[in-house]
Amino acid sequence: MDQNIKDILSHYDLGSSIVRCDAYGNGHINWTYDVETNKGRRYILQRINTFVFRDPVGLMRNTVLLTDFMRKKEKDPRKVLELIPTKEGSFYYVNEQDEYWRVFVFVENCICYDKAESLELFRESGRAFGKFQNLLADFPVESLIETIPNFHNTPERYRAFEEALAADVVKRASSAGPEIKYVLSQKPFASFLLDKVKNGLIPLRVTHNDTKINNVLFDRKTNEALCVVDLDTTMPGIAAMDFGDCIRYAGNNAAEDEKDLEKVFLRMDLFRAFAEGFCSMCKENLTREELLLCPEASKMITLETGVRFLADYLENDVYFHIAYPEHNLDRARVQFKLAADMDNKMEEMRNIIISILDQNVK
Ligand code: ADP
Ligand code: GN1
Ligand code: MG
């Protein structure tokens, strides 16, 4: 085991000695490890990405507030993330290199999926994010800091993209001509949802803001959704964008970084399954207006994520973890193909939401 990790773990009282610590998961932001003790207990050790999260102390304060709040309503320990304090009683540990680390209880007998392996699994993840909305519906939103200001502010993402394009620091713009053209052609759409907030048509709520299916843990035997993880971006947002991000990631027929764009399209059977799960859980709390915006929000978050990947490509991959030099460009291409497909399926998506809301799906 790496000496740095040994030093960090020595600040935790995990009850027995550590036998293993392996890199874990498919997250693009933090550095995650699966830790096991000689008694067979497991923990998630994570280093917070402080380039992305500039206020890790405020972020950890959010996490403590959110998990404490949810634990008062949800008594099953596998269903709410649990932080382990250091021996000194803090919920994070800062080492000499100024790295911020934290430890969570590893949710027992769980499984995490990177794609919707069945309709039922995706319906279940819809229920999980719908339930997450419900659990936090009366959370005092003013107590949360914005861990990333303007995180899902699509016009602001456009501004940052245009800055990256103008600077073109590593001269990559010439290799992304069609993608840049697509992004610029979609600019008028970017403020569609935020305008609705400004006009008072939809509210800001406590939202997760990163609802990829790999941020849900399922029971290994029954595939029941247990726990929503990755609370770092939970802050005020638009509920329909949480719906949309799940569709963007797992409603796609292909992976987020698929090279063969023929394989990239929105699967309507998956869309329906997710919508059924999500709406069945939170249609009491969300307004019809908000739920009817889920199709546009699916396109918005897909476009926005593509804009972010492309900007990061132009900025020499400073934000998202990559596995090879063109990775962010490949990811951006997938998002734009998917967003264009969603445009063609907008009416169909809307009809599905209407039929679910009118049927009173349980
Ligand atoms: P990132 O911000 O990098 O995406 P996450 O917090 O999502 O990091 O963690 C990465 C992965 O680790 C998750 O996708 C999930 O598979 C796993 N994971 C996170 N927390 C737990 C936990 N408490 N128990 C079990 N697995 C977890
Ligand atoms: C990042 O951390 P992870 O991998 O769950 C990113 C999301 C993007 C996603 C794209 C804090 O999520 O916003 O949608 O990658 N998280 C942050 O896969 O930027
Ligand atoms: Mg994650």
Side-chain angles (χ1 to χ4, degrees), residues 27-29 53 151 210 212 215 230 248 256 308 319-320:
H28 295 341
I29 302 296
F53 298 108
F151 189 55
D210 189 4
K212 295 181 357 180
N215 286 330
D230 206 345
R248 172 191 77 77
E256 189 183 56
R308 293 174 61 200
Y319 188 96
F320 295 103

Side-chain angles (χ1 to χ4, degrees), residues 24 27 29-30 32 44 46 81 105-107 112 214-215 217 230:
Y24 192 73
I29 302 296
N30 294 317
T32 304
I44 286 282
Q46 248 176 1
L81 273 181
V105 173
F106 194 106
V107 173
C112 181
N214 63 22
N215 286 330
L217 305 178
D230 206 345

